Structure formats: C-alpha cells, structure tokens
C-alpha cells in the first residue's frame, strides 16, 4: 500500500489526458462486511467472512466486537477456495462468545457502528460505553435509543438522544413491538433487526415516519438475516406496509464471501463516462441488494452503456454526458458522485429524494453546493436535493469535510478540470483504502488497477 497523503493535506487530483481504459478490483462492501460481522458474532457457532473490507469503518466494527468478547481471527491464504485474480485470500474467522463489559466502543464516524452495536450491547453483561468523533455526536441516534428502551434496555445518554452514551447490558433483552421513525436513516431499522433473533420475544418494528430512504440496505439486512437462519416477515412478503417481524431463534455460523463494494466502483465508472473510455469492474454480481447496482441504469441514462460479462461489469462512455432528473431516495449514497458528473454534463440535472443526506458524515447537500460552486459551478439546494446547471469549471480547493464520498466526488471533477486540489483525500480510507493509488494507477497505466492487481 502506498503512502496516503496526510489528513488535511492538499492532493492534486490527476487530470485525464485521454480516454481511460482500465480493469479495477474494488474492495469488499462495507455494508455487507459490517452486517456480516454482527450476525456472525451473534451466531451459535463459528463462521467465516471472506474478502472482507479492511477500512476504518470495518476496523472500528471488528475492534468493537472484540471489546465485547468476540473472537476474530484474521488469516491470509492465496490458496483460499474463494480466491480470485488479484485476491489475497483474506478471511476472518468469527468465534462467538458470551458478550460482556465493561468495555468502551469507539464508533469513529461510522453510522453502522454507532447504530448497529447498541442493540448488540444490550445482550452483554456489564456497561458498554459508546463514544466517537465529534461529528458522531451530531448524527441522529435518538430513535434507536428510544426504541431500545421500549424493548427493555437501560441506556444512559444524559437526555441527549445522541452519543456519547452507555448501555447497561443485562445479558438479554426482552424485545417485542416498537414504533420508530426511520425517515432520517434506514440504519435505524437494520439496527433493531440484526440483533432481534437474540431478543427473548424477537422484534416487530413499525416505521411511522415519512418515506424510508435507502430501502436496498434494509433488503440487504433481511436477506442476510434469512441466510443466517432467521425467520423474517417483511412488507415485500405481503405483510403490512413498513412493518418487519423477526422471530427469536439461533443464528447459523456462515461461510460468507463479501461482494465488491458497488458504490465505491462509482468514481471508476465515472472515469469511463467522462473520458469516453471503458472500465471493467471485476466480479460485479448478477444479483445484489447493494444500492450501487443502480449505477448501471443511472450512468447509462447519463450517456454510457454497460454489459455484465463473466469478467465483471464492462462500462463504456460515449464521450458525451447528459443531465438527468432522478429520484435518489433509495440510493442516496450515490449522490455526491452523480452530482460531480452532472456538473460536467451538457444539460441541467435535478437530484431528488435525498433530504436525509443533510445528516450523513456531513451535510452532503450543502457541502456539494459549496464546493462545486467554489470551482465555478451553478448548484442550488432544493427542499430534498440539488439542481445542477453545468458551467465551465476552474481549479481550486475542494474540501471534503471528513467525508469519503466528497473526496471521491472531487477526484471525479478533477478528471476534467485542471488544478483541483482535494483537501484530506485520506478520508477515503473510511471505506476505500488506498484510493489515491488506485486512482493514479488507473490513469497512468490505463490497463489494470485495484487491490492486488
């Protein structure tokens, strides 16, 4: 791994001198990795997580579970049965144990850690304290805290409804029925569902707020629960709208291979779209619950074409970028990259359905507006998204606000605009380790780049 620029250093975003032609191996999905770690830790028997994402978010999750008593053994074997071209064969063996405190969990600024682990901590014996980065104190958590109290948990948060907090674990949780407003984050629902098989009564979660964002992530949670042996009734199965029921029962130890992170493939696909080149993303799954799969449709509408082959997803740009009017409510995490491409398009774009992005790692709508406009763009915030009118852009500093997707969005703009300087590109380590090297390799070699490539 090459040296990543120091935090808050300015990284000159490389400009593309011509068309990009590359094959990219994207690291494993953060969303799948962290759900798999939780489910494996709550299982009745050991399991394996293969090709996991090794990043800040997944390290925070594994460190937290270890602090609660879970055994996680990391191995690397090039002869692994799951090996692929460029794969190190990395695998984590998860050994469940009786969860216990006292312990302190550092959530960093990882939404999955700060929301998925308080329900797990209710199953531990002893006090579990949760703390994190300053931004984590501002991110919504009150709905999860209130729901857990309704289900029988004891939580001390000094009335903040946010971090820091202490879960007074009693070794079990009664569970039952709970109402929750998850309109700010689908993670509120996933957090309760993941631990529910271990609750005495399981759980019935009823969403009572506005439209739920990021539904693919809830479907991911449900599919992974079912694969681990849980009984889950969902709205998709013909039940009541926005109601999920998980029965109590033992979870199986699985041997799970983590899919590539399709949302992290976005900047590389954008490179093909912007330069009129071709990028192949290895091992793109033919069926997946990942929100990033929507890129096939969205980037095709913006001027590209794609084909799923045995080698992976082959995406080709036409040399033209078209504006788009799109509801991104289910795939909000793709908004920064789409906004970056839209700023280079030949017509106006309207990105809708993403008001919840104001509560992510940063206020992504405000941040995108300020940074693209700082390069000469014309972006305005709407009630639930962005309106982007393309204008000639110029170089300048693109601030990231410690947000990994802001950093990759800036790099995408830098492909076509000379002199873009990314402040704190190191924040990409949250979910995409070694991004600067992958990016520069793609442009310098324009043949093959990626982890292990």
């Amino acid at each position: 791994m090459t040296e990543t620029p120091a935090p808050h250093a300015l990284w000159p975003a490389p400009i593309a001198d011509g068309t990009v032609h590359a094959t990219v191996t994207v690291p494993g999905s953060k969303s799948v990795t962290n759900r798999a770690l939780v489910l494996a830790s709550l299982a009745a028997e050991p399991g394996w997580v293969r090709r996991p994402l090794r990043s800040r978010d997944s390290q925070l999750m594994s460190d937290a579970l270890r602090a609660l008593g879970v055994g996680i053994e990391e191995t690397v074997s090039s002869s692994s049965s799951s090996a692929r071209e460029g794969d190190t064969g990395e695998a984590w063996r998860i050994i469940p144990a009786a969860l216990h405190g006292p312990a302190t969990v550092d959530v960093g600024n990882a939404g999955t850690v700060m929301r998925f682990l308080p329900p797990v901590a209710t199953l531990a014996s002893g006090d579990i304290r949760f703390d994190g980065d300053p931004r984590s104190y501002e991110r919504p958590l009150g709905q999860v805290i209130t729901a857990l109290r309704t289900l029988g948990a004891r939580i001390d948060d000094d009335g903040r409804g946010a971090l820091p907090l202490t879960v007074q674990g009693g070794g079990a949780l009664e569970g039952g029925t709970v109402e929750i407003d998850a309109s700010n984050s689908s993670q509120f629902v996933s957090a309760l569902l993941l631990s529910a098989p271990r609750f005495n009564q399981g759980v019935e979660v009823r969403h009572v707020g506005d439209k739920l964002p990021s539904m693919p992530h809830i479907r991911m949670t449900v599919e992974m629960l079912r694969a681990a042996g849980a009984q889950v009734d969902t709205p998709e199965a013909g039940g009541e709208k926005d109601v999920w029921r998980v029965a109590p029962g033992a979870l199986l130890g699985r041997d799970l291979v983590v899919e590539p992170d399709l949302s992290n493939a976005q900047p590389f696909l954008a490179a093909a779209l912007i330069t009129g080149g071709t990028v192949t993303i290895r091992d793109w799954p033919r069926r997946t619950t990942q929100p990033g799969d929507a890129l096939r449709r969205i980037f095709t509408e913006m001027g590209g074409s794609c084909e799923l082959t045995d080698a992976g997803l082959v995406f080709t740009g036409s040399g033209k970028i078209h504006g788009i009017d799109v509801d991104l409510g289910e795939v909000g995490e793709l908004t920064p990259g789409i906004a970056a491409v839209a700023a280079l398009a030949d017509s106006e774009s309207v990105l809708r359905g993403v008001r919840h992005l104001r509560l992510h790692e940063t206020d992504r709508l405000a941040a995108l507006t300020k940074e693209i406009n700082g390069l000469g763009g014309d972006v305005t915030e709407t009630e639930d998204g962005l309106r982007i009118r393309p204008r000639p852009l110029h170089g300048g500093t693109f601030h990231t606000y410690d947000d990994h997707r802001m950093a990759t969005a800036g790099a995408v703009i830098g492909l076509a605009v000379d002199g873009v300087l990314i402040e704190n590109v190191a924040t990409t380590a949250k979910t995409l380790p070694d991004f600067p090297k992958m990016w520069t390799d793609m442009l310098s070699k324009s043949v093959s780049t990626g982890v292990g490539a």
Side-chain angles (χ1 to χ4, degrees), residues 265-297:
Q266 183 178 36
F268 303 99
L269 297 176
L273 182 58
I274 290 168
T275 68
T278 298
V279 167
T280 299
I281 305 295
R282 289 189 181 119
D283 299 309
W284 193 286
R286 293 188 176 273
R287 181 186 176 281
T288 180
T289 54
Q290 288 192 60
D293 195 45
L295 289 167
R296 292 192 290 156
R297 170 182 56 83

Side-chain angles (χ1 to χ4, degrees), residues 115-141:
R115 291 160 183 159
F116 292 179
L117 288 191
V120 174
T122 67
L123 304 171
S125 58
D127 289 354
I128 311 298
R129 177 172 171 78
F130 289 82
D131 208 337
D133 297 351
R135 171 62 178 171
S136 71
Y137 293 6
E138 303 171 14
R139 298 185 68 182
L141 191 59

